[in-house]
């Protein structure tokens, strides 16, 4: 190691080292062409670390800063510079042909396409300012995602500083897909299993789970990779052709995937699809189809965007991967909601790089329909991010088969009575079936819910089995002595867990709602409810129609919400929870909208919004939607063929606005 004593000398050396390390990162992670050994690389990094430390030269873009320092409480929101659109998909050749025909018809001539792999990962936006990586976020709803800058910094394939082979725009936004290569995925799952943790179902979930870690050190330990495929926005403009996006991305040192092709017509697109489908098993990461995009950006603009997906691009997925294996046994698992699910325990089989040893059989009628029994040879499929599934039985000539499978009449976990509800068998022992209590508690403690760190699955299981925890509220009554009787708990770890449980009481309404485990209420729906109603009390009181006025809430969810709050047992647990001192911030702090308390009346048909959506917008901003016009009405929104309400508004001198003005007022796109 060089000997350095002066600051100027140190600065120079630090610059040299950073440049070298960046070059090697690029060679290794982006080009797959390393020039030095890992050991030599580590030595460079170590020298840089020491110098930065000694001379106070640390800066956020330094390669030494890849690992985030402290865990975050919750991700900040990040508004995207341009919408991260989603894609429509076609299922077969005919669908792709129609897509190609439609573009030609719309444009009045043919146009070329770029075909590229569809990565099975999660979409992110990367923002570079003055060539430096300054922030990055998940897709979220396409407009606003989660700020995962620190986590992204830990991905080696992501350059923190752009290369300058061509001029770098002052402000640049790039879309990329974060993926977990198959080898790393299988290794991670082995480790998780060894540590008694739940493995990830597929590389996509593993990538998402790893990137969305509050503690960036965990992300840093996960084998993530990424591919850039789109310039979303660049100061000074974007290239005229999509194919040139790639040339630029590469010139800036950003990682792209080499399989892509400019295709003048359907013929070439189909060839590309076929070739990729045949070669995908050789790829070290999961590709689940191809994406076809119109090459010319001018044509893209002419074709435009539907609500969320563009008319100029489409995904054409591959057939799900299938392999043959044998059903060794059929187990029955009991979920959080008491549903009994038959699960085929398989002779482990490699399906496109992922080892499958269990596959769902959904329910009894599925088992009957497919007529699968223990000992049968079957075909299993794994499609994108769904749970592996037993597709069909492969009859073998002369085989002797076992008896048909029967659902147990008693819950395999608690011995409680099993009843049939529709297609499902359900354990009726809601209150005390350990499987249901365990499931509910695990969910309650999980990261997006109450986020109780250190309360692992194993601990929950033992707590429930010992009878210390009979419902989620019991968590808050746990005592140190009880924890100390559990394996693996010592003085300090018990204190830590109790502290984490205590701290979880300060939460947000969204988290709390999600934690309750109401069927259909995932994080997103929980947020929608929290934002629209502002308090648990209002949600509890809201009837089905009120709930359904929100775009995200259909009849099933609204029924589940109402059922949940009318159920006597749930009410008791809720009261118990509130007695433990659970608190949440009063609604989501919102900037004042200026529409608080304003009343709106709609008349006539709106063109781009349903009545329900328009009302939900108003309510979400603190206003009210009324059904008749009075002198107290603030705005009447008149659409197509307005009725007598418009006349009444004119008589009373109430402000009348059109749809465009209304959308401007409420900030709708
Ligand atoms: S382009 C308008 N290109 O697929 C452009 N998406 O099903 C929309 N994806 O959310 C996206 N590989 O996460 C595009 N080469 C690729 C992609 C890709 C994977 C993902 C992306 C998107 C999802 C849509």
């Amino acid at each position: 190691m060089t000997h350095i004593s002066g600051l100027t000398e140190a600065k120079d050396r630090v610059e040299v080292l950073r440049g070298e390390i960046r070059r090697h990162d690029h060679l290794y992670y982006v080009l797959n062409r390393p020039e030095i050994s890992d050991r030599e690389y580590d030595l460079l990094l170590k020298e840089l670390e020491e110098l930065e430390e000694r001379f106070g030269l640390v800066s956020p873009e330094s390669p030494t800063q890849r690992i985030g320092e402290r865990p975050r409480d919750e991700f900040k929101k990040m508004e995207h510079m341009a919408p991260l659109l989603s894609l429509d998909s076609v299922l077969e050749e005919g669908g792709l042909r129609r897509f190609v025909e439609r573009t030609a018809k719309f444009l009045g001539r043919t146009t070329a396409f770029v075909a590229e792999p569809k990565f099975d990962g999660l979409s992110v936006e990367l923002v570079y300012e003055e060539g430096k990586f300054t922030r990055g976020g998940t897709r979220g709803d396409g407009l606003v995602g989660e700020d995962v800058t620190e986590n992204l910094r830990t991905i080696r394939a992501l350059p923190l500083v752009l290369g300058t082979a061509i001029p770098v725009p002052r402000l640049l936004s790039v879309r990329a897909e974060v993926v977990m290569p198959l080898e790393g995925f299988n290794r991670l799952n082995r480790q998780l299993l060894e540590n008694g943790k739940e493995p990830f179902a597929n590389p996509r979930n593993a990538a998402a789970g790893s990137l969305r870690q509050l503690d960036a050190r965990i992300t840093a330990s996960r084998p993530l990779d990424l591919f850039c495929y789109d310039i979303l926005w660049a100061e000074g403009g974007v290239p005229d052709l999509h194919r040139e996006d790639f040339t630029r991305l590469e010139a800036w040192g950003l990682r792209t995937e080499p399989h892509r092709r400019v295709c003048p017509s359907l013929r070439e697109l189909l060839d590309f699809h076929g070739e990729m489908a045949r070669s995908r098993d050789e790829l070290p990461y999961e590709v689940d189809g191809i994406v076809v995009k119109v090459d010319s950006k001018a044509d893209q603009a002419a074709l435009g965007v539907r609500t969320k997906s563009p008319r100029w691009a489409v995904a054409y997925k591959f057939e799900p991967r299938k392999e043959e294996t044998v059903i060794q046994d059929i187990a029955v698992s009991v979920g959080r909601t008491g549903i009994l699910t038959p699960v085929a325990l398989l002779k482990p089989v490699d399906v496109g790089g992922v080892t499958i040893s269990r596959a769902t059989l959904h329910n009894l009628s599925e088992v009957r329909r497919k007529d699968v029994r223990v000992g049968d040879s079957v075909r299993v499929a794994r499609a994108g991010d769904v749970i592996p599934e037993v597709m069909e039985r492969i009859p073998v000539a002369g085989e002797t088969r076992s008896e048909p499978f029967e659902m147990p009449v008693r819950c395999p976990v608690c011995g409680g009575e099993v009843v049939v509800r529709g297609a499902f068998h359900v354990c009726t022992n809601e209150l005390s079936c350990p499987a249901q209590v365990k499931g509910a508690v695990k969910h309650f403690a999980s990261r997006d819910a109450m986020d109780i760190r250190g309360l692992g699955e194993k601990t929950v299981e033992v707590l429930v089995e010992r009878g210390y925890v009979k419902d989620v509220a019991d968590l808050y009554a746990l005592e140190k002595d009880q924890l100390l009787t559990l394996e693996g708990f010592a003085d300090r770890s018990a204190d830590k867990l109790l502290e984490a449980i205590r701290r979880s009481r300060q939460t947000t309404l969204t988290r709390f709602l999600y934690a309750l485990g109401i069927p259909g209420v995932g994080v997103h729906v929980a947020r929608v409810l929290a934002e629209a109603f502002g308090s648990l009390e209002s949600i509890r009181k809201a009837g089905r129609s009120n709930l359904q006025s929100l775009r995200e809430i259909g009849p099933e969810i609204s029924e589940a919400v109402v059922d949940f709050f009318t159920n006597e047992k749930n009410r008791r647990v809720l009261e118990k929870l509130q007695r433990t001192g659970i608190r949440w911030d009063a609604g989501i702090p919102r900037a004042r909208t200026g529409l608080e308390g304003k009343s709106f009346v709609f008349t006539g048909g709106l063109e781009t919004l349903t009545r329900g959506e328009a009302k939900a917008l108003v309510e979400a901003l603190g206003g009210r939607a009324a059904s008749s016009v009075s002198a107290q009405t603030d705005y009447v929104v008149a659409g197509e063929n307005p009725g007598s309400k418009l006349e009444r508004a004119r008589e009373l001198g109430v402000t009348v606005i059109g749809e465009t003005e209304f959308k401007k007022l409420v900030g709708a796109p």
Side-chain angles (χ1 to χ4, degrees):
M1 204 165 282
T2 27
H3 197 80
I4 288 176
S5 52
L7 181 61
T8 331
E9 204 183 342
K11 277 188 179 158
D12 289 348
R13 179 72 188 151
V14 160
E15 275 317 304
V16 172
L17 286 168
R18 286 182 186 164
E20 269 301 275
I21 292 170
R22 269 173 208 137
R23 194 169 71 81
H24 289 302
D25 278 348
H26 186 236
L27 283 167
Y28 185 95
Y29 293 106
V30 180
L31 303 177
N32 282 325
R33 228 177 33 227
E35 284 177 3
I36 56 173
S37 71
D38 289 356
R39 212 186 104 70
E40 287 168 302
Y41 177 87
D42 288 343
L43 284 175
L44 290 176
L45 201 63
K46 209 156 172 313
E47 184 186 349
L48 177 61
E49 250 167 24
E50 280 179 11
L51 284 177
E52 286 181 341
E53 178 88 352
R54 229 168 85 206
F55 294 93
L57 297 173
V58 182
S59 91
E61 295 75 43
S62 170
T64 59
Q65 301 306 303
R66 292 249 183 206
I67 298 171
E69 278 298 293
R70 61 219 128 78
R72 293 285 164 98
D73 268 356
E74 199 162 331
F75 295 112
K76 285 186 296 180
K77 292 198 170 160
M78 174 170 149
E79 218 169 296
H80 296 303
M81 298 197 45
L84 266 59
L85 300 170
S86 58
L87 278 174
D88 280 343
S89 47
V90 297
L91 299 173
E92 10 108 286
E93 209 178 300
L96 189 63
R97 177 177 324 109
R98 283 190 292 278
F99 167 77
V100 171
E101 285 165 1
R102 232 182 308 125
T103 46
K105 189 162 169 226
F106 197 100
L107 295 169
R109 58 175 161 74
T110 59
T111 186
F113 303 93
V114 176
E116 53 193 76
K118 181 167 188 319
F119 310 105
D120 203 13
L122 89 155
S123 199
V124 292
E125 182 196 23
L126 311 172
V127 178
Y128 286 84
E129 290 171 59
E130 315 276 3
K132 289 175 189 150
F133 174 63
T134 50
R135 66 206 148 86
T138 60
R139 194 174 99 84
D141 65 0
L143 300 175
V144 179
E146 286 172 323
D147 184 328
V148 287
T149 309
E150 294 309 314
N151 308 58
L152 285 165
R153 270 186 206 284
T154 70
I155 302 178
R156 296 307 181 124
L158 181 143
L160 300 179
V161 178
L162 294 179
T164 50
I166 57 167
V168 174
R170 211 180 53 83
L171 192 54
L172 171 71
S173 153
V174 167
R175 181 164 178 174
E177 195 86 354
V178 173
V179 299
M180 185 173 288
L182 289 161
E183 198 194 314
F185 165 76
N186 286 320
R187 196 176 344 110
L188 174 64
N189 266 358
R190 273 199 302 277
Q191 277 167 10
L192 289 172
L193 277 170
E194 277 165 22
N195 298 327
K197 301 210 175 107
E198 192 67 19
F200 286 106
N202 52 57
R204 206 199 93 79
N205 289 3
S210 300
L211 189 69
R212 298 181 64 250
Q213 286 283 340
L214 290 173
D215 185 348
R217 282 170 300 190
I218 301 180
T219 313
S221 74
R222 300 279 170 84
L224 293 175
D225 200 346
L226 98 183
F227 296 111
C228 300
Y229 55 71
D230 197 11
I231 301 178
L232 275 173
W233 198 88
E235 196 167 286
V238 296
D240 293 338
L241 299 173
H242 176 54
R243 70 181 90 162
E244 292 164 355
D245 280 358
F246 291 103
T247 341
R248 289 212 197 161
L249 291 168
E250 282 163 12
W252 291 321
L254 289 161
R255 181 159 160 82
T256 61
E257 210 276 352
H259 297 85
R260 57 173 176 268
R261 188 176 299 164
V262 177
C263 300
S265 74
L266 180 67
R267 184 69 264 136
E268 291 80 5
L269 290 172
L270 292 174
D271 287 347
F272 183 78
H273 184 263
E275 283 169 40
M276 285 305 293
R278 277 188 296 280
S279 63
R280 69 169 159 156
D281 284 341
E282 271 97 68
L283 296 176
Y285 33 80
E286 182 115 304
V287 167
D288 61 352
I290 66 166
V291 181
V292 175
K293 301 174 186 170
V294 166
D295 192 21
S296 151
K297 301 271 176 85
D299 287 352
Q300 288 184 4
L303 285 154
V305 175
R306 288 187 217 86
T307 335
K308 282 204 156 164
S309 52
R311 284 195 200 84
W312 46 264
V314 80
Y316 182 11
K317 292 221 190 170
F318 301 139
E319 287 281 308
R321 289 187 162 103
K322 291 182 193 149
E323 292 297 337
E324 291 175 17
T325 185
V326 173
I327 297 188
Q328 294 179 321
D329 202 355
I330 297 180
V332 173
S333 76
V334 184
R336 175 156 69 81
T337 48
I339 292 177
L340 273 58
T341 306
V343 178
L345 305 181
L346 307 166
K347 182 161 166 261
V349 58
D350 181 304
V351 185
V354 172
T355 309
I356 304 295
S357 51
R358 299 159 67 90
T360 179
L361 287 162
H362 301 292
N363 53 48
L364 185 63
S365 42
E366 275 291 294
V367 179
R368 291 275 181 274
R369 194 175 63 76
K370 291 174 178 159
D371 185 27
V372 288
R373 309 181 191 180
V374 173
D376 284 353
S377 291
V378 289
R379 204 160 276 128
V380 290
R382 185 173 71 84
D385 59 358
V386 299
I387 303 165
E389 192 179 3
V390 174
M391 299 299 289
E392 60 196 349
R393 177 169 90 87
I394 308 165
V396 178
E399 66 182 331
T400 333
R401 300 184 65 204
S402 62
E403 290 300 308
F405 168 77
E406 292 293 346
M407 274 307 229
V409 286
R410 300 245 147 219
C411 169
V413 176
C414 72
E417 196 194 334
V418 170
V419 295
V420 180
R421 283 195 200 132
F424 298 105
H425 286 66
V426 185
C427 163
T428 50
N429 202 356
E430 276 186 356
L431 264 180
S432 55
C433 174
Q436 296 186 55
V437 179
K438 282 177 191 172
V441 176
K442 283 180 197 170
H443 173 76
F444 186 80
S446 65
R447 201 193 53 201
D448 291 332
M450 303 303 278
D451 194 22
I452 305 177
R453 305 285 172 84
L455 186 59
E457 309 220 334
K458 280 269 142 67
T459 311
V460 171
E461 280 167 20
V462 183
L463 287 173
V464 175
E465 277 155 23
R466 296 257 178 102
Y468 295 159
V469 173
K470 296 198 185 69
D471 60 48
V472 293
D474 284 343
L475 285 174
Y476 296 93
L478 277 176
E479 305 211 356
K480 189 165 170 184
D481 288 349
Q482 295 175 318
L483 290 183
L484 288 176
T485 65
L486 308 188
E487 201 184 316
F489 272 90
D491 203 53
R492 239 173 69 86
S493 43
D495 280 340
K496 253 179 95 172
L497 177 54
L498 287 176
E499 173 61 16
I501 294 175
R502 211 177 53 75
R503 249 186 312 155
S504 75
R505 293 179 311 173
Q506 177 61 45
T507 183
T508 62
L509 182 53
T510 300
R511 282 175 173 275
F512 185 72
L513 268 179
Y514 172 64
L516 294 176
I518 305 169
V521 181
V523 180
H524 177 66
V525 170
R527 182 172 303 134
V528 169
L529 287 170
E531 288 185 1
F533 291 94
S535 75
L536 189 68
E537 207 38 38
S538 322
I539 298 170
R540 208 158 64 91
K541 288 202 195 123
R544 295 186 52 170
S545 61
N546 257 329
L547 293 164
Q548 281 182 47
S549 67
L550 300 170
R551 191 177 41 174
E552 285 86 351
I553 315 258
E556 274 167 30
I557 299 181
S558 73
E559 185 173 337
V561 171
V562 171
D563 281 357
F564 182 89
F565 287 106
T566 35
N567 177 311
E568 198 43 47
K569 169 200 135 198
N570 293 337
R571 290 170 92 123
R572 275 204 305 278
V573 176
L574 272 178
E575 279 166 22
K576 210 164 138 190
L577 277 171
Q578 276 167 321
R579 276 199 301 277
T580 67
I582 290 201
R583 303 258 172 284
W584 48 82
D585 47 0
I588 283 105
R590 268 196 300 253
R592 284 188 59 79
T593 61
L595 296 185
E596 290 90 352
K598 295 266 190 282
S599 74
F600 287 75
V601 173
F602 295 91
T603 175
L606 300 179
E607 208 179 323
T608 61
L609 293 167
T610 66
R611 199 54 85 72
E613 284 168 358
K615 284 187 174 169
L617 276 169
V618 165
E619 279 159 14
L621 296 171
R624 278 178 301 123
S627 52
S628 62
V629 182
S630 75
Q632 270 72 52
T633 307
D634 292 294
Y635 297 98
V636 166
V637 184
E640 202 92 344
N641 302 323
S644 60
K645 291 178 194 172
L646 180 60
E647 284 164 34
R648 178 105 182 99
R650 297 239 159 90
E651 279 165 31
L652 292 169
V654 173
T655 314
V656 176
I657 58 177
E659 181 169 353
T660 320
E661 252 177 299
F662 168 71
K663 293 213 295 192
K664 219 186 263 166
L665 198 63
V666 299

